[in-house]
Amino acid sequence: MNKNERCGKLIFLKPAFEHKIWGSAKLRENYGYDEPGDDIGECWGISAHPHNETPVLYGEYAGMKLSELWREHRELFGNAEGEEFPLLTKIITAEDDLSVQVHPDDVYAAEHENGARGKTECWYILDAEPGSRLAIGHNAGSREELINMIDAGRWKDLIRYTDVVAGDFIQIPPGTVHAIGGGITLLETQQSSDITYRLYDYERKQDGCLRPLHLEQSKEVITVPAADVADEIIHDDSADDVVCLISCDHYEVYRITCRDELTVEFDRPFVLMSVVEGEGTLKSDRDNGAGESESTRVKKGDHFIVPAGFGELAMSGSMKIIASCLPL
Ligand code: ZN
């Protein structure tokens, strides 16, 4: 059986990579990606964003960009509305601290960034080395205090950090100060957007230059006061097979744990899935016309979309999947 037949109606995507000064070889070593270099920072697993698209791997749409598939075969996505494919899934691994940043919301981005989308994102922590931490939120009590602290460069007083462990989940609404710290690997689900305002970069130089900051935009879009950190980090130790980690205006994210056998059915037009641990077999409840149901092997690091009308997805093996879809 070749790969084209094997995968049935599931849409597997070919990951795309971003090389970064804070990257490493971890995505190749731990996730099996065939990507050279010791500075791999991001694997874009499911993306129709023009900066780095993931083409379809197998089957009748092989080689097609996800943006083309969205435009030309909207039936695969349950005829969902929208000019652009709305979500983006990445695995990010940081050897060093990333710059501290904030994203605008849709209203601000539309007005100030040529009609672009804002960005709500969320993180599922896959690995955190001892002592690694995230920046999340800030300590200013009012906008005036925020502006004064930024102008005075009081970064240590301003930026709030917190420790995280594997399995933690963090929702990052627009206006939230945030940064991934060195030693952390996570899966990010986000609105398909790239509008980022850099607040603080630890005075690091790249090729002898400081990277540009966006202090004026940051002062406008940062939410004041910040939400409580305890409200932002969900550590869910539930043994349930399917756990809803977040449901917001832009997406829903689920953690699916297959311990031996599991069947899931989503009442959503399409679902993005990333295998983040283990391996197993996926089966459709439909047969392939030859009296056999279609099945395919998947492993950690695989990314695919379950299209509209797929029906039940039967899994076997031992694996963890992070799934996302549009809210109802
Ligand atoms: Zn971000």
Side-chain angles (χ1 to χ4, degrees):
M1 213 189 285
N2 71 28
K3 281 179 171 172
N4 288 6
E5 292 162 327
R6 202 176 62 180
C7 295
K9 297 275 184 275
L10 296 173
I11 303 164
F12 281 79
L13 287 314
K14 184 179 192 301
F17 297 89
E18 297 265 320
H19 292 252
K20 302 282 188 180
I21 47 168
W22 42 261
S24 66
K26 274 186 195 162
L27 284 175
R28 182 177 59 247
E29 290 166 356
N30 299 343
Y31 288 81
Y33 295 127
D34 183 20
E35 176 71 8
D38 292 329
D39 61 346
I40 314 163
E42 301 184 356
C43 164
W44 293 33
I46 303 175
S47 166
H49 196 283
H51 287 184
N52 213 344
E53 281 224 43
T54 53
V56 177
L57 264 176
Y58 315 122
E60 64 177 302
Y61 307 113
M64 239 176 142
K65 289 180 181 173
L66 181 55
S67 58
E68 292 169 351
L69 201 64
W70 176 256
R71 267 200 313 274
E72 295 168 26
H73 291 281
R74 195 65 67 93
E75 72 282 359
L76 295 170
F77 307 95
N79 297 313
E81 288 176 9
E83 215 165 295
E84 289 151 21
F85 185 78
L87 300 175
L88 174 53
T89 306
K90 298 178 184 176
I91 296 176
I92 302 175
T93 186
E95 198 63 11
D96 193 7
D97 293 341
L98 273 69
S99 58
V100 180
Q101 51 182 248
V102 61
H103 305 294
D105 61 17
D106 286 339
V107 175
Y108 188 95
E111 194 179 327
H112 298 271
E113 303 287 349
N114 296 319
R117 253 183 252 188
K119 183 161 155 185
T120 299
E121 67 188 55
C122 60
W123 294 337
Y124 182 83
I125 307 295
L126 297 171
D127 187 48
E129 290 170 11
S132 51
R133 57 187 197 156
L134 298 174
I136 181 94
H138 62 82
N139 296 313
S142 66
R143 189 153 313 271
E144 192 187 357
E145 193 183 358
L146 174 80
I147 291 167
N148 289 340
M149 289 171 99
I150 291 174
D151 287 344
R154 291 174 55 202
W155 307 113
K156 282 207 174 90
D157 297 331
L158 178 66
I159 298 162
R160 199 173 63 190
Y161 289 89
T162 186
D163 295 344
V164 287
V165 296
D168 282 351
F169 177 81
I170 302 110
Q171 168 80 338
I172 302 167
T176 305
V177 172
H178 64 284
I180 302 173
I184 291 175
T185 301
L186 56 80
L187 183 132
E188 179 175 278
T189 303
Q190 57 163 94
Q191 281 180 281
S192 184
S193 158
D194 231 13
I195 310 272
T196 296
Y197 300 137
R198 194 180 290 126
L199 174 66
Y200 178 55
D201 200 23
Y202 304 93
E203 276 101 36
R204 283 182 300 204
K205 290 187 175 166
Q206 187 174 16
D207 304 324
C209 299
L210 296 168
R211 293 195 291 176
L213 300 176
H214 311 93
L215 298 182
E216 294 315 309
Q217 293 97 324
S218 296
K219 288 174 190 172
E220 286 181 359
V221 306
I222 290 172
T223 302
V224 183
D228 260 346
V229 100
D231 294 338
E232 286 173 319
I233 300 194
I234 300 164
H235 189 80
D236 186 277
D237 327 331
S238 147
D240 291 352
D241 297 332
V242 180
V243 174
C244 180
L245 296 166
I246 190 80
S247 175
C248 71
D249 290 347
H250 302 288
Y251 48 70
E252 292 180 356
V253 177
Y254 295 84
R255 189 191 67 203
I256 299 171
T257 310
C258 176
R259 293 174 180 87
D260 182 20
E261 307 242 309
L262 179 68
T263 299
V264 286
E265 183 166 21
F266 286 93
D267 55 350
R268 301 305 155 83
F270 63 98
V271 182
L272 288 65
M273 290 198 174
S274 300
V275 183
V276 296
E277 250 181 65
E279 57 187 305
T281 300
L282 304 177
K283 264 190 190 163
S284 158
D285 65 344
R286 307 254 168 99
D287 77 32
N288 62 2
E292 310 161 343
S293 66
E294 296 165 340
S295 74
T296 186
R297 292 288 298 171
V298 288
K299 61 179 189 319
K300 178 178 174 179
D302 285 345
H303 304 268
F304 57 95
I305 297 173
V306 183
F310 186 86
E312 288 184 346
L313 179 63
M315 307 178 182
S316 59
S318 174
M319 58 184 167
K320 198 169 276 183
I321 290 174
I322 300 297
S324 57
C325 57
L326 294 179
L328 277 178

